[in-house]
Amino acid sequence: MLDAALVALSQLSDPTTLLALIAGVVMGLLVGILPGLGGTAGLALLLPFVFGMDPTPALAMMIGLTAVTTTSDTFPSVLMGIPGTSGSQATVMDGFPMAKRGEGTRALSAAFVSSLFGGIFGAFVLSFAVVAAKPIILSIGFGEQFMLVVLALSMVGILTGINVWKGLAACALGLMLGALGAAPLSGVQRATFGTDYLLDPLPLVIVGLAMFATPEIIDLLRRQSTISQTGKLGSGWLKGLRDWASNWWLSLRCAVIGCIVGALPGLGGSVVDWIAYGHAIQTTKNREKYGTGDVRGVVAPESANNAKEGGALVPTLLLGIPGSGSMAILLGGLLIIGIDPGVEMVTDHLDLVYVIIWSLALANVLGAGIAFVLAPQIAKLTTVRYVLLAPFMFGIIFFAAFQATRGWGDLIALFLLSVLGVYMKRFGWPRPALLIGFVLAENVESSVYQTVALYGATFLQRPVVIVLLILTLLSVAAAVFYKTTHHDPMTEDSPYKSTGLGPQWVFFAGVVAFTLYILLDAQSYNQLTGLYPTVAACVGLACLVPLGLNMAFRRTPGATFFDAEHGSGAPGDECRSAEFFLGLLLGMLLLSSLVGYVLGIALFIFLFLWKWAEVKSHFAALGAIAFVLFLGILSDQLTLRYPTGLLQGYLGVDLPWPLQ
Amino acid sequence: MIPFTRRVALGMAAAAMLAPTHSIAQDFSLEGETVTWIVPFSEGGGTDRLTRLLASTLTEHLPGNPNIIVLNQPGGGSVTAANAFHTDAPNDGTTLIMASTSTFLPVLLGSNVAEYDPNDWVAITGFARGATIYGITEELGVGGTDPAADHEALINADIRFGLETPISAEMLDLVSLHLLGIDARVIFGLSSSDAEAAFLRGEMNLNTDNIRSYTGDWGDDPTVNPIWTYGVIGEDGSLLEDPDLPDVPTFQEFYEAAIGEAPSGLGYQLQQALMNAKVMISKAIMLPPGTPDPIRDAYITAMQAVLQDPEVVAALPREVGSMPLNFGSETQRAIAAGTSMDPEVRDWANAFLMENYDTSLD
């Protein structure tokens, strides 16, 4: 074993291999920074190069890329409030408030050390797991997967915000959104609203952007001139390091969670950040600070999401069964270079396994190092006038959404879900709860059915199931007994006031209507297809009814009510409404439907900068041109075809690169 | 043994009209052009890997050596991209698609989401890929030497079989088990890798996969036994043994040994149509509807050269096994057989699905 480890290290010190690793790391950092692109898109980008490469450098490059996307994805999460990949959604919760407070550097610094630690820990665990983990992974059957999903769902309890019914209803809404499109058990298309787009389920990246990115961008546009309220950056490098050091125990626990969630079947990597975040809230003191810019809320998810990669490699290498989307592509890459993962790989090609482990560790060091060096420059964005950034942010999130299925449907889905996200934020519906419900929807549906079909109630006799059940009960107890005490005043002069409820009722009615639609639609299918949406919708109604009754009969301010447009903290009359900005986005989409996405977004950026941000027209044009070039380069590298409009479709105009 | 239907007849007629003339139009050249090769799946999957393997060599053999880009358009299990390909793709040789069983199956089963007819497309090359069904020897009591004894054991065994959905390529396995009178507890919602993981854990004891994956994962494992393969249809239309697992009985051989007569009837016709879709047209390189013959012939010639390239020859068995390739009209015929079903067969399929899985094709 030691021999193989040393042989692998000497292979890795070969200049070609080292260069390949560095190339992979740089590419990984880039795709991590761009929202919507993650390890999956990055590896897809590498595949053509992998053909004809020697196995060792090819491995180093692919692992280098996968290892660091969850390092650099922290930049947009912390600085912009836009999750860089689905693995850093939870980082937004506390990282972005820190940036708004002028502590962007401190948050980044703490995040990068956590990523580095998590990544190295993951590599360390992997080196032992490849020889010993097979029986553990094989002991996680359907019953255990089902309990893992239940345990993850119980995290919602701690993230429901101050009104439990709203929180649970938001989670149920997520479970229902996850029921749209092809049913996992029968392939039948549910509630497609007559569109081809919903042949597949809604893409997670779009739901994530709609819940976090759009509402934040619009909110910032309305309230603030720069992201950092102080307009300053703060020098928090050492502070961030010390933050990590004083929370090393939390960081270690979350790294362990990351490895476990990554390695075990059933959950998939995209909830790992939320599980770590929920774990941090459940097990630490002063929990009311979470969500307002507590550095522990950055350390926890960032430690977990880098450790996840080491964990996810275990089943991929050991069994040839990928644990996530990016691992599926990595598996493809391995097959291309002639490596067939499986138990034989560990016995016959142990040196290659160690190339992977060393690459993983080294890439994490390189990635965190580069991120540290770049951070002060990139963090300056938070001191730039936000109106100058916003149109580009919109351009980037629509580009990111478009990566999901590369069709018009992505842009429309992002817009519609963004409307939901904006109003959920306004009316105090917890968006993390919706997201967790959405991410787990398919797992809930399949694992419940599979467990019952195979085991009936006897699955409760399995030892791992019992352990998980106890953990779940502890998790629920933590949520119930240590409910956050709320410090905001609930007066008639706050968002919690009991009058002016019109908009809240309209939103509530919209959610009820959607729930009823899902319920009604579900009745037209057989049990295999219809049971899950029926149950999800009934759970939704069970939470909506008490909420509605509360809203109807309560006369004093309280947690039942919330409208961010009320109270002293609300944006004043001089601010444009959120609807105005949603209208602008709709305008951008309409423009794109005429002239295609590239020209549409270019015109949008130009007009926004020129008319709204009052930039001189030639600078505005320069901004738009720069963005078009950026899209053009990406379309070349990623072989993308941007959505076209009437101009290209009916008039058949062929525009030259990069305008097509 | 291809069921002779109207569509087969039309396909053959079309194929005859399109037969290579050996006077390839000299003026067809793709010099300076960019050829877009659509992969209706995401990166890294089997279809994508095969496409990328061929694309790098194809450019050398096409007239004018065009630049070839691989464009992944996942969605709806290839249906979304196929719909767009059918209506929008230019038929000047600059766009082609790598179709797969998932593209043909919705047409065979008459799904209303498939708004295309691959019989209108122009076939270049088809790749057959064998499939097998295998089980845990000890639990099922299958020895793999005597089909009649294996059949007896399977009828009495508590079979647990995981697959994705009842209406999918795995319907072939469901129908085959049914024809043999074998009952299995079927657990849905498992993608092929989920099903394999469950099989590995022993939660499932029967599994189905393509030959390449089977031999890679289980080929030399004595605790796992292949029960039958779906064979391959030879040039004369008869069913032959799978070249990668020649010692394993085909479904027909297994049936004959177990039941005492050759399989026949509507259920068997359905089984054969599904076998055609799953095995015989596992992958197919296609040009859009209305592509002129000279372009088609240039592509066929180029692809024949590509498939003799030593690098491709070495890598191909890893992706599709070692079944014979087919070209042009032969591929067109296989597609015709794998995308059409007589109304009575369809009725049988609906009754079968309704009775066992509370669902139907309509």
Side-chain angles (χ1 to χ4, degrees):
Chain A
M1 198 174 141
L2 194 65
D3 279 358
L6 291 175
V7 170
L9 193 60
S10 72
Q11 284 181 7
L12 204 57
S13 58
D14 173 69
T16 330
T17 310
L18 211 54
L19 264 175
L21 178 73
I22 294 171
V25 167
V26 170
M27 194 91 106
L29 290 173
L30 283 175
V31 294
I33 287 182
L34 287 173
L37 297 183
T40 317
L43 282 171
L45 198 65
L46 286 189
L47 276 191
F49 300 104
V50 169
F51 268 97
M53 267 177 94
D54 285 334
T56 311
L59 268 183
M61 187 159 81
M62 289 193 288
I63 297 293
L65 184 140
T66 340
V68 299
T69 50
T70 45
T71 303
S72 62
D73 64 357
T74 315
F75 280 116
S77 302
V78 167
L79 300 177
M80 304 287 157
I82 301 174
T85 68
S86 56
S88 71
Q89 286 166 343
T91 312
V92 175
M93 297 295 289
D94 280 285
F96 191 48
M98 285 180 78
K100 287 205 265 191
R101 212 160 57 206
E103 292 185 327
T105 12
R106 178 183 166 195
L108 286 179
S109 164
F112 295 144
V113 196
S114 305
S115 292
L116 177 61
F117 174 75
I120 303 271
F121 183 80
F124 180 73
V125 168
L126 177 61
S127 62
F128 291 99
V130 284
V131 285
K134 195 178 167 192
I136 302 175
I137 295 180
L138 291 185
S139 70
I140 304 296
F142 294 120
E144 288 77 10
Q145 294 182 31
F146 169 47
M147 283 315 297
L148 279 172
V149 172
V150 173
L151 178 60
L153 263 183
S154 75
M155 294 284 173
V156 173
I158 208 97
L159 296 166
T160 50
I162 60 166
N163 186 307
V164 174
W165 296 121
K166 265 188 199 173
L168 295 179
C171 180
L173 195 56
L175 289 172
M176 285 185 278
L177 285 175
L180 302 182
L185 305 178
S186 64
V188 173
Q189 279 94 38
R190 292 186 294 222
T192 56
F193 300 91
T195 73
D196 264 8
Y197 184 68
L198 284 171
L199 289 185
D200 292 321
L202 283 173
L204 170 62
V205 56
I206 292 183
V207 180
L209 288 169
M211 286 301 119
F212 291 105
T214 325
E216 291 307 336
I217 299 174
I218 289 181
D219 193 56
L220 276 170
L221 266 176
R222 298 178 64 199
R223 288 167 187 266
Q224 267 161 255
S225 55
T226 61
I227 292 173
S228 167
Q229 283 154 358
T230 56
K232 292 201 189 87
L233 201 53
S235 56
W237 284 116
L238 285 172
K239 215 166 174 198
L241 284 171
R242 280 199 298 271
D243 284 331
W244 177 81
S246 54
N247 289 298
W248 69 272
W249 175 228
L250 174 68
S251 177
L252 177 64
R253 291 194 323 263
C254 290
V256 172
I257 291 177
C259 282
I260 293 177
V261 173
L264 298 188
L267 284 177
S270 36
V271 281
V272 72
D273 51 335
W274 289 112
I275 293 178
Y277 187 73
H279 171 76
I281 301 182
Q282 280 171 346
T283 55
T284 53
K285 294 194 178 99
N286 301 327
R287 64 194 63 209
E288 68 281 355
K289 291 217 179 86
Y290 284 99
T292 61
D294 189 316
V295 76
R296 293 172 299 178
V298 175
V299 169
E302 287 303 314
S303 305
N305 67 14
N306 278 54
K308 175 196 76 191
E309 300 302 328
L313 278 166
V314 178
T316 313
L317 299 179
L318 200 55
L319 308 175
I321 292 168
S324 67
S326 58
M327 285 299 142
I329 297 194
L330 182 71
L331 197 63
L334 291 176
L335 290 172
I336 286 171
I337 53 179
I339 302 174
D340 206 347
V343 183
E344 301 83 47
M345 181 171 180
V346 182
T347 46
D348 302 349
H349 298 290
L350 197 59
D351 54 330
L352 284 180
V353 174
Y354 277 97
V355 166
I356 290 174
I357 294 168
W358 286 116
S359 302
L360 188 62
L362 196 57
N364 268 291
V365 175
L366 279 170
I370 296 174
F372 263 116
V373 173
L374 293 179
Q377 302 306 315
I378 298 182
K380 278 185 188 153
L381 281 175
T382 57
T383 62
V384 172
R385 267 175 70 210
Y386 198 65
V387 278
L388 299 183
L389 290 180
F392 297 102
M393 294 290 118
F394 282 133
I396 285 178
I397 62 168
F398 276 94
F399 166 80
F402 172 68
Q403 296 312 305
T405 70
R406 299 179 180 176
W408 254 105
D410 293 324
L411 307 186
I412 296 163
L414 175 60
F415 176 76
L416 293 176
L417 288 166
S418 290
V419 174
L420 176 68
V422 165
Y423 288 109
M424 282 182 75
K425 182 178 164 73
R426 172 171 165 182
F427 300 128
W429 287 56
R431 292 162 288 157
L434 179 140
L435 213 59
I436 293 180
F438 177 77
V439 174
L440 293 176
E442 191 182 324
N443 293 326
V444 171
E445 178 169 7
S446 316
S447 68
V448 172
Y449 153 80
Q450 284 153 2
T451 306
V452 172
L454 203 55
Y455 295 106
T458 60
F459 83 97
L460 287 169
Q461 294 160 9
R462 294 166 70 101
V464 182
V465 169
I466 296 171
V467 172
L468 290 168
L469 189 65
I470 293 169
L471 283 176
T472 307
L473 292 175
L474 287 176
S475 157
V476 171
V480 173
F481 289 116
Y482 303 102
K483 194 70 203 158
T484 317
T485 44
H486 199 72
H487 294 301
D488 282 355
M490 292 192 191
T491 62
E492 286 296 345
D493 186 31
S494 74
Y496 302 98
K497 77 175 196 166
S498 59
T499 53
L501 297 177
Q504 294 183 52
W505 276 116
V506 172
F507 181 75
F508 180 81
V511 175
V512 172
F514 176 75
T515 308
L516 290 175
Y517 173 78
I518 294 289
L519 188 59
L520 205 67
D521 178 76
Q523 305 319 307
S524 55
Y525 310 113
N526 70 10
Q527 198 186 355
L528 207 54
T529 311
L531 185 63
Y532 170 75
T534 306
V535 172
C538 287
V539 170
L541 286 177
C543 305
L544 288 167
V545 168
L547 180 62
L549 289 175
N550 257 321
M551 282 172 71
F553 295 112
R554 193 181 169 115
R555 293 281 172 268
T556 52
T560 308
F561 310 114
F562 189 89
D563 188 342
E565 302 295 310
H566 293 323
S568 49
D573 291 339
E574 75 283 359
C575 298
R576 290 289 193 156
S577 66
E579 289 77 16
F580 171 77
F581 291 103
L582 286 174
L584 283 187
L585 287 184
L586 189 60
M588 189 269 281
L589 287 183
L590 290 175
L591 202 58
S592 299
S593 73
L594 293 178
V595 297
Y597 171 71
V598 176
L599 273 181
I601 192 72
L603 284 170
F604 172 80
I605 289 175
F606 172 73
L607 291 172
F608 194 101
L609 288 176
W610 183 39
K611 290 291 182 193
W612 186 254
E614 289 164 0
V615 173
K616 286 205 178 69
S617 60
H618 52 274
F619 283 124
L622 211 60
I625 291 168
F627 195 77
V628 168
L629 284 176
F630 163 79
L631 290 178
I633 290 166
L634 283 176
S635 88
D636 264 11
Q637 296 305 313
L638 298 166
T639 45
L640 293 179
R641 301 288 162 79
Y642 294 113
T644 54
L646 281 178
L647 183 67
Q648 292 91 337
Y650 282 92
L651 302 177
V653 178
D654 252 346
L655 292 167
W657 184 92
L659 295 178
Q660 75 281 54
Chain B
M1 292 297 289
I2 305 170
F4 197 83
T5 63
R6 196 176 60 88
R7 212 174 228 167
V8 176
L10 284 177
M12 295 213 292
M17 280 189 287
L18 291 172
T21 52
H22 296 292
S23 60
I24 294 165
Q26 280 75 23
D27 51 348
F28 172 65
S29 170
L30 290 161
E31 198 172 346
E33 301 270 0
T34 297
V35 170
T36 306
W37 195 341
I38 296 167
V39 173
F41 299 94
S42 29
E43 293 87 348
T47 309
D48 180 61
R49 290 199 304 274
L50 180 62
T51 309
R52 289 174 192 271
L53 172 70
L54 302 172
S56 49
T57 323
L58 177 60
T59 179
E60 295 164 21
H61 297 286
L62 278 175
N65 309 107
N67 177 30
I68 298 180
I69 59 167
V70 175
L71 186 67
N72 296 84
Q73 290 184 324
S78 87
V79 168
T80 314
N83 279 338
F85 180 79
H86 189 80
T87 49
D88 301 341
N91 57 12
D92 56 359
T94 58
T95 306
L96 54 162
I97 192 168
M98 183 66 116
S100 87
T101 299
S102 316
T103 323
F104 301 118
L105 203 68
V107 180
L108 171 70
L109 302 177
S111 155
N112 55 5
V113 295
E115 293 155 8
Y116 52 88
D117 183 354
N119 291 292
D120 292 347
W121 302 355
V122 177
I124 303 170
T125 309
F127 300 83
R129 184 172 72 163
T132 179
I133 197 160
Y134 56 94
I136 298 178
T137 319
E138 208 170 287
E139 278 199 45
L140 301 180
V142 286
T145 45
D146 177 8
D150 283 357
H151 181 244
E152 193 60 32
L154 286 170
I155 285 187
N156 296 315
D158 172 25
I159 300 179
R160 300 182 302 274
F161 182 34
L163 44 85
E164 189 135 33
T165 62
I167 300 175
S168 66
E170 281 67 46
M171 199 169 139
L172 171 62
D173 306 291
L174 296 178
V175 172
S176 302
L177 288 168
H178 178 85
L179 292 176
L180 285 162
I182 299 171
D183 264 334
R185 235 188 322 159
V186 181
I187 308 288
F188 293 109
L190 298 168
S191 69
S192 59
S193 70
D194 291 339
E196 202 197 323
F199 183 78
L200 205 58
R201 290 194 297 267
E203 291 193 291
M204 299 296 150
N205 51 23
L206 190 72
N207 200 24
T208 180
D209 214 332
N210 63 69
I211 298 284
R212 194 208 71 79
S213 299
Y214 165 77
T215 42
D217 299 336
W218 306 104
D220 44 10
D221 188 333
T223 64
V224 171
N225 245 325
I227 300 169
W228 65 73
T229 72
Y230 289 99
V232 56
I233 294 170
E235 276 174 36
D236 59 350
S238 64
L239 195 95
L240 309 172
E241 266 106 20
D242 190 297
D244 292 296
L245 287 178
D247 299 335
V248 179
T250 62
F251 171 76
Q252 279 74 355
E253 289 166 345
F254 189 93
Y255 187 99
E256 262 190 80
I259 310 286
E261 59 178 31
S264 61
L266 294 173
Y268 181 60
Q269 284 184 36
L270 175 66
Q271 199 265 359
Q272 281 298 284
L274 289 164
M275 181 272 178
N276 259 297
K278 182 166 177 172
V279 173
M280 298 312 292
I281 38 176
S282 170
K283 311 267 184 280
I285 308 171
M286 314 280 287
L287 289 159
T291 302
D293 288 359
I295 298 182
R296 179 192 86 133
D297 296 344
Y299 267 101
I300 291 177
T301 311
M303 199 48 77
Q304 278 166 338
V306 168
L307 291 164
Q308 276 157 18
D309 182 287
E311 213 173 295
V312 173
V313 169
L316 206 56
R318 268 208 324 257
E319 298 297 341
V320 289
S322 42
M323 284 205 170
L325 306 160
N326 50 61
F327 297 91
S329 51
E330 216 185 313
T331 312
Q332 212 93 41
R333 207 157 48 229
I335 291 171
T339 53
S340 66
M341 204 194 287
D342 285 342
E344 311 90 77
V345 176
R346 194 182 167 82
D347 291 343
W348 189 94
N350 278 331
F352 164 73
L353 286 169
M354 192 46 80
E355 186 184 329
N356 294 285
Y357 307 105
D358 185 28
T359 184
S360 79
L361 300 175
D362 304 304

